[in-house]
Amino acid sequence: MRDMNRKISAGVLWNLAGLFMKNGASTVFTLFLAKLLAPESFGLIAMITIVFQVATVIVQSGLGQSLIRSESVSQTDLNTVFYTNMVMAGLVYAAIFFSAPWVAHFYEQPVLVELLRVTALVVVFNAAKMVQVAVLVRAMNFKAQMKANTTGVLLSGTAAVAAAYAGFGVWSLALQIVASAVVSTLILWIASTWRPSWSFSIRSFRHHFSFGVNLLAEGLLEVVFQNSYVLVIGRFFSAEMAGLYYFARRISDLISQQFTGAVQQATYPALATLQNETENLKAKYREIIQVTMAIISPIMFLIAALSEPVVSLLFGEKWLGAVPYIQVLSWVAVLYPLHALNVNALKVKDRSDLVLKVGFVKKAVSLSILVASIPYGVLGIVVGQAVASTLALLPNTYFCRRLVNYSLMEQMADISKPMFSAAIAAMSAWLVVRYMEAHDSMVLLVSGLIGLFLYIVISLAVRSVGALTILAQVKRRLL
């Protein structure tokens, strides 16, 4: 048991390291490429992302997860899943290759024909590494995965930047996508000792597919939903507008989703031990939410307030059109920890059925608002996204109240102080941005320092629990 705990602890650390290295490096490269490329280039890539993401979900069909969850797997099981993946990948890639002109016609962008045919190659490479990933996960070898993913991101990002400097435009982004998949696949094959042999079992296929088909449905729903906004913007507006939205989304997701994901992964095992102790579980969730919101609220509100000088200074005037979207989506990012942690509570209580039901309700409401907001332009769509995110708190917190006795009103009370402090600080920083006449770098420095100082002072004045907890932890480590 002690050896198992050691492996689990190491796995958590490597997962967290991999999360920050892969996603962090990928985002940094994306933002750096934004300095070199026009919004249209990002818009074109964003338009076709849904195609190969859906294709990847279809190819995987939840088979890899089935291998991971199985108590034991044979060489025949691994072979069966591997050959199924590769055959499916070939068929799906062929379908994408021949349907690429239709996708280009849908968006009215002829360049998408060749762009989609090249980038869709990631479907084949991702299929080739899926069994290797399952083998490494079963062995709890998360270190190899972290190295493979991080190396892929770093090498592909470097190649993409070099291509962008050389004037390859949107093809530099296509290179980044394909190269990352190729490098990570090669490293995983080197790290894993498993190799396929010539065997296949219909019985094994049926066993793993019967489990994976539910994950296939859930995965398709999630991919379509996550890409629905770009799909609509790309179809009804332009590649430039899709690129501006995609850029704003990356900015707003950079801090909130990565930090919340790290918190979820780090706290889930501990919270699971409290699943039958409702009062203790509620107390721990209150602490986590208060601390998380004390960190996320000021960051996202200040990003909204300082977005204009940040974008102008780092990326140039061509990206200033993304500023209104960044400001609105910052509200979505502020609410994201509440959504994620409420859903986490349902998982801790072993109610994955409610997770699926809540997901259906939230997606149905969001897509309805998306359709209704199309006549109001891209900004109207983004505002609709913020409204949908706010409304989604109702089903999330309803079931959290039933299972953990942590109601919406209690959660609002717990986050009111950090959000109030952050809002006042951000408003003050915004006033500095609006009325201070100086170089963008000086405006950014002064407004940022004022905003941070005011947030700390106000948080201490109103006795924000999350801020006080963070301060106590800092003092304990320093003394």
Side-chain angles (χ1 to χ4, degrees), residues 177-298:
I177 294 171
V178 176
S180 179
V182 172
V183 172
S184 62
T185 299
L186 289 175
I187 294 177
L188 286 171
W189 273 80
I190 294 172
S192 174
T193 59
W194 178 81
R195 294 295 182 268
S197 56
W198 294 108
S199 63
F200 187 91
S201 169
I202 297 296
R203 182 178 180 180
S204 176
F205 170 78
R206 288 174 177 170
H207 168 71
H208 291 293
F209 186 75
S210 64
F211 172 83
V213 67
N214 293 321
L215 297 181
L216 169 62
E218 182 183 358
L220 286 174
L221 180 66
E222 183 64 21
V223 167
V224 172
F225 174 74
Q226 289 297 331
N227 290 276
S228 59
Y229 289 92
V230 168
L231 189 150
V232 168
I233 294 172
R235 175 62 180 85
F236 292 99
F237 299 94
S238 67
E240 179 182 5
M241 300 302 290
L244 292 172
Y245 171 82
Y246 176 78
F247 176 80
R249 185 72 179 268
R250 291 297 294 266
I251 293 291
S252 64
D253 290 348
L254 175 61
I255 301 297
S256 184
Q257 290 197 10
Q258 290 197 50
F259 180 81
T260 304
V263 170
Q264 283 181 288
Q265 290 187 32
T267 60
Y268 183 82
L271 293 173
T273 64
L274 302 175
Q275 59 180 292
N276 297 319
E277 304 174 28
T278 302
E279 287 302 316
N280 291 334
L281 182 62
K282 175 183 176 180
K284 183 58 63 175
Y285 259 109
R286 291 189 66 182
E287 179 184 345
I288 293 172
I289 285 179
Q290 288 172 326
V291 171
T292 302
M293 294 302 289
I295 295 173
I296 295 298
S297 295

Side-chain angles (χ1 to χ4, degrees), residues 460 463 467-479:
L460 295 177
R463 308 293 296 172
L468 293 175
T469 301
I470 295 171
L471 183 61
Q473 290 290 336
V474 173
K475 285 183 177 180
R476 188 177 297 116
R477 291 181 179 277
L478 292 179
L479 298 178

